[in-house]
Amino acid sequence: SQQGEEDPQALSIQEGENATMNCSYKTSINNLQWYRQNSGRGLVHLILIRSNEREKHSGRLRVTLDTSKKSSSLLITASRAADTASYFCATGGGADGLTFGKGTHLIIQP
Amino acid sequence: DGGITQSPKYLFRKEGQNVTLSCEQNLNHDAMYWYRQDPGQGLRLIYYSQIVNDFQKGDIAEGYSVSREKKESFPLTVTSAQKNPTAFYLCASTGQSGANVLTFGAGSRLTVL
């Protein structure tokens, strides 16, 4: 099954800095999604990028997709303490739902 | 407000007991899913259901059972056959075909004593 793997596993930055995390996957995709999970909570959908798109923006989020390298990146600009969470990429979209990576744990230091 | 409600949020059980986790949605979504999350790990699919009275095994269905008698409800039973049931369980649903953007519940944390 398709699977994303995020890199790095953990990232700690100062508030106000930009945070970049990456996702690699194994097979061809129709789209790729990013989700956020606050500690002990459910996941929240952030953004979806389709295979024919190279870049997408949503507020302080910027997602890129390189299908030739089978990789995606999520950039969070001007980070805030509230951005502290785990971030997951997900692929799939068929009847059996999505396949998630292990996530990047992001810590924003005040 | 529409959403997914999971209960209980925390559950403790003794070895050998079956427990049932509730998942209710008022989003009018057709498809529902159960995922398991272990510390520092991603989500693994347990069961999913596309329509009422039909469900399919996911990647780690052994030791679990589900039912889908109503569109709104998709309860998960963790049976005594599940060898390592301590985990965080997440229910999700989607009403979109193709893209499958999932809406998640807040999760249920099961601890086996």
Side-chain angles (χ1 to χ4, degrees), chain B residues 13 15 36 62-64 78-86 89 112:
Chain B
R13 81 152 209 220
E15 284 189 16
R36 169 181 171 142
E62 185 176 352
Y64 299 96
V78 184
T79 75
S80 57
Q82 168 51 233
K83 296 179 181 178
N84 186 20
T86 295
Y89 291 89
V112 175

Side-chain angles (χ1 to χ4, degrees), chain B residues 53-66:
Chain B
N53 293 323
D54 186 53
F55 48 83
Q56 305 295 329
K57 293 182 179 180
D59 299 322
I60 56 166
E62 185 176 352
Y64 299 96
S65 66
V66 293

Side-chain angles (χ1 to χ4, degrees), chain A residues 13-110:
Chain A
I13 62 173
Q14 295 294 123
E15 193 168 16
E17 294 180 338
N18 295 343
T20 300
M21 53 206 86
N22 304 295
C23 169
S24 59
Y25 56 91
K26 297 178 180 178
T27 61
S28 62
I29 59 171
N30 292 321
N31 62 73
L32 184 143
Q33 302 180 42
W34 285 91
Y35 288 78
R36 183 187 74 230
Q37 183 181 33
N38 290 91
S39 181
R41 306 288 296 176
L43 279 70
V44 175
H45 174 76
L46 294 176
I47 195 165
L48 178 151
I49 186 166
R50 301 189 186 280
S51 60
N52 61 353
E53 297 176 309
R54 291 296 168 260
E55 186 172 312
K56 198 165 184 178
H57 296 254
S58 176
R60 293 184 296 112
L61 305 180
R62 174 187 165 223
V63 170
T64 62
L65 179 64
D66 187 335
T67 53
S68 68
K69 296 181 179 179
K70 292 186 170 59
S71 68
S72 175
S73 68
L74 170 67
L75 168 69
I76 303 174
T77 61
S79 63
R80 305 168 181 169
D83 295 328
T84 293
S86 293
Y87 293 82
F88 295 86
C89 66
T91 58
D96 60 349
L98 300 175
T99 301
F100 292 84
K102 295 183 178 181
T104 292
H105 185 49
L106 175 64
I107 298 173
I108 308 300
Q109 306 275 8

Side-chain angles (χ1 to χ4, degrees), chain B residues 9 12 25 37 47 70 73 82 87 91 100:
Chain B
K9 186 165 179 62
F12 299 87
Q25 55 101 355
Q37 186 178 31
Y47 267 98
K70 299 185 301 181
S73 179
Q82 168 51 233
C91 180
N100 265 10

